Amino acid sequence: MNPTLAIHGGAGTMPPGSMDPAAYRAGLHRALMAGHKILAADGPAIEAVTAAVVALEDDPLFNAGRGAVFTRDGQHEMDAAVMDGATLGIGAVAGICGPRNPVLAARATMEHSPHVLLVGLGALDFLRAHGVAFAEPGYFDTPGRREALRTMLAAEASFSADLDDADRHGTVGAVALDRFGNLAAATSTGGMTGKLPGRVGDTPLAGAGTWADAACALSATGHGESFIRIAAGHELSARMRLAHEDLDTAAAAVMAALAAVGGTGGFVAIDRTGRVSLPFNTRGMYRGFVHADGAAWTGIYQEAMQAWS
Ligand code: ASP
């Protein structure tokens, strides 16, 4: 087996000049190394994707954990999911604010509850009872995200151009293949700036924005409602298992289905040979992958990926 990890940090237009590409690449690299360390020590894919997503959640540049976007009423409501392709184990949380790392809340749901998705006060009580670390008030707030909400509400009020989508959404995620041939996926998000309180996107919904089985693993970013409509994660797997499409062919078909419902975004996906596919239909998608030997690649715009072998 060829242990491999691929990650994303959100898709959008990312106008050059509005952000520091080096800082984003450094954040992606840190996350790749956090996951790679686990795979290189023959650790399981589910641990590697969790570690990579924790690193991205801790980085305020990305819309997950610290740096999550604000809802219309100025709150954070975070969604996250993990899925272990070896067991079809799933853990997810939606609309929560409290746990410092929502992906660890998703892991706790998978490992310690008989359920796959927890929301509301019950979720927070459960997570506290299982020792998941909570953040201090204000931890998730960042000035840039607050400004993004102000800009969006002002644009709406004046019927002027909408917020750039780089400020509106984003998500982080990871997929991995481990030494034993098992696949896993993890995704975490603050959702979309100015979303209605109570809105849940594709991220915590297994089969939509997060999926892993014996054929492939996928983590998505972009307009969540569209990814839910096409059941993106399950569609990728179904095409590979039932129509015997290879990863790239199936990924292209999923992107076509996304476009057909007017959706924007992209995803990272991996198959059981360690091949990765990182398609998107926005101007850019923060993304990267690392091979078994530790060689890492990161990209933001349409840079060509390096050869596989
Ligand atoms: N897919 C996420 C959501 O809809 C947002 C994003 O990835 O930009 O919640």
Side-chain angles (χ1 to χ4, degrees), residues 112-138:
H112 305 304
S113 88
H115 308 302
V116 298
L117 173 60
L118 294 178
V119 303
L121 292 178
L124 298 182
D125 287 347
F126 170 84
L127 296 166
R128 257 189 220 99
H130 285 86
V132 172
F134 276 52
E136 61 278 11

Side-chain angles (χ1 to χ4, degrees), residues 71-150:
T71 61
R72 279 193 103 68
D73 58 358
Q75 306 297 315
H76 299 290
E77 293 184 2
M78 290 168 264
D79 302 336
V82 294
M83 185 162 180
D84 187 346
T87 59
L88 299 185
I90 299 169
V93 288
I96 61 161
C97 187
R100 192 179 175 94
N101 289 103
V103 72
L104 297 180
R107 276 294 294 272
T109 301
M110 180 173 93
E111 271 152 30
H112 305 304
S113 88
H115 308 302
V116 298
L117 173 60
L118 294 178
V119 303
L121 292 178
L124 298 182
D125 287 347
F126 170 84
L127 296 166
R128 257 189 220 99
H130 285 86
V132 172
F134 276 52
E136 61 278 11
Y139 169 77
F140 300 107
D141 298 5
T142 49
R145 300 298 188 196
R146 202 170 278 288
E147 184 54 34
L149 176 63
R150 254 196 300 271

Side-chain angles (χ1 to χ4, degrees), residues 11 63 79 169-171 189 191-192 199 201-203 220-225:
N63 171 22
D79 302 336
H169 52 75
T171 281
T189 190
M192 301 179 68
R199 178 265 189 186
D202 59 317
T203 297
T221 174
H223 184 245
E225 284 73 4

